[in-house]
Amino acid sequence: MSEGIIFDIREFCIHDGPGIRTTVFLKGCPLRCKWCHNPEGMSAEPQMINSAGSRRIVGEKYQASEVADRLNSQADILCANEGGVTFSGGEPLMQSRFVKDIIDLLDKKLHIVLDTSGCGTHSDFQMLAARVDMVYFDLKLIDRQAHVKYTGVDNDPILCNLRALSEFEKPFVIRIPLVPTVTDTDENLSAIAKTVRGLPGLVRVDLLPYNKAAGGKYASAGMVFDPGYDESAQLNLNIDCFKKEQVEVRVA
């Protein structure tokens, strides 16, 4: 049985899937999004966090069976509230074998969501997508060069996995973090609308308003917040481009 590193297991979550959920945050992410609001999830290793005069280690090793036992103990209350379990991060695909082993031990009545950037190998993505009930797929930028500039990696594997997602016959939600002057431009939103239009399984697109509090967490993690864009710029909440492509959209 595999082991992995988790930086949080958060109960009573209401934004990570249907109903009331427990969200497991896996440590490690291949992206370096300038706006990331979970900087403590970037590194794959445990790290020291200094906050309000105290020091603590973020990131703890677990056996897959330990996590599954804890989640299974909550199954009745999660199901009673039409919820379940969400695997998020960081990026769950970076610990795909660990996540797969947990899922295989879970109570079959639990509803499972994979919350992913899609940045991983096709085989890892396929292995996890096949085991969950729903996918929350973060899609940030369609332009390849802009994606490299603001996330540190190109979007080729992400778009490849997005196209493959429709083959799994699993419902999925596209989530777009709205970053002023970066992801919220009419050009990018229109490109995303055209990319996801008509994909089998698409439930809707969620537009996620910018989180201005994100930068405050970097110093405690010994990191520098250097967004490279104007955080004070007015956010563009243009949903017309999605309506034009007949894609259901909401501001989350």
Side-chain angles (χ1 to χ4, degrees):
M1 186 59 63
S2 62
E3 70 173 18
I5 300 180
I6 291 170
F7 71 90
D8 199 3
I9 299 177
R10 199 171 301 166
E11 300 174 356
F12 300 105
C13 298
I14 58 172
H15 298 297
D16 299 331
I20 294 176
R21 315 188 68 80
T22 294
T23 300
V24 180
F25 292 89
L26 284 301
K27 209 159 182 335
C29 182
L31 303 178
R32 291 296 180 267
C33 300
K34 296 284 190 179
W35 53 85
C36 181
H37 61 270
N38 283 329
E40 72 274 30
M42 292 183 184
S43 169
E45 301 297 328
Q47 65 189 108
M48 184 66 70
I49 297 291
N50 297 287
S51 179
S54 64
R55 291 160 58 88
R56 61 188 176 92
I57 296 291
V58 171
E60 185 176 348
K61 289 185 178 180
Y62 287 86
Q63 295 290 324
S65 57
E66 289 180 82
V67 182
D69 288 346
R70 178 168 171 176
L71 297 173
N72 283 335
S73 71
Q74 303 169 4
D76 288 344
I77 190 169
L78 292 173
C79 293
N81 288 281
E82 300 180 343
V85 173
T86 297
F87 292 94
S88 184
E91 172 48 63
L93 296 180
M94 282 191 66
Q95 300 190 63
S96 59
R97 179 61 60 178
F98 176 54
V99 176
K100 176 256 183 194
D101 287 345
I102 297 171
I103 293 174
D104 287 349
L105 293 170
L106 289 180
D107 190 318
K108 301 308 178 189
K109 66 185 177 186
L110 278 169
H111 182 274
I112 304 171
V113 168
L114 174 65
D115 181 9
T116 177
S117 68
C119 190
T121 67
H122 179 68
S123 59
D124 285 342
F125 182 74
Q126 187 174 32
M127 179 174 66
L128 294 188
R131 284 174 162 76
V132 302
D133 298 293
M134 176 176 271
V135 175
Y136 273 27
F137 197 105
D138 294 347
L139 195 54
K140 302 168 180 68
L141 289 156
I142 296 299
D143 182 84
R144 192 174 189 273
Q145 289 186 323
H147 201 279
V148 171
K149 177 180 179 180
Y150 288 105
T151 74
V153 300
D154 69 63
N155 55 8
D156 291 350
I158 294 169
L159 295 177
C160 178
N161 283 330
L162 175 62
R163 288 189 291 271
L165 180 55
S166 61
E167 301 172 4
F168 299 140
E169 299 183 357
K170 295 289 173 64
F172 66 96
V173 173
I174 293 293
R175 305 215 296 178
I176 306 171
L178 293 177
V179 180
T181 74
V182 179
T183 66
D184 73 336
T185 65
D186 287 346
E187 180 182 14
N188 184 55
L189 296 178
S190 294
I192 291 176
K194 291 176 181 175
T195 299
V196 304
R197 174 187 57 195
L199 288 181
L202 175 64
V203 175
R204 66 174 186 275
V205 170
D206 283 351
L207 302 179
L208 310 178
Y210 185 68
N211 181 4
K212 289 187 176 180
K217 299 174 70 175
Y218 282 69
S220 63
M223 302 164 67
V224 176
F225 182 62
D226 182 21
Y229 53 83
D230 184 2
E231 282 193 288
S232 65
Q234 186 173 359
L235 208 57
N236 178 25
L237 294 172
N238 182 8
I239 62 174
D240 290 342
C241 51
F242 294 97
K243 292 182 176 178
K244 181 181 178 182
E245 303 296 338
Q246 298 183 318
V247 173
E248 184 174 343
V249 61
R250 72 175 189 181
V251 179

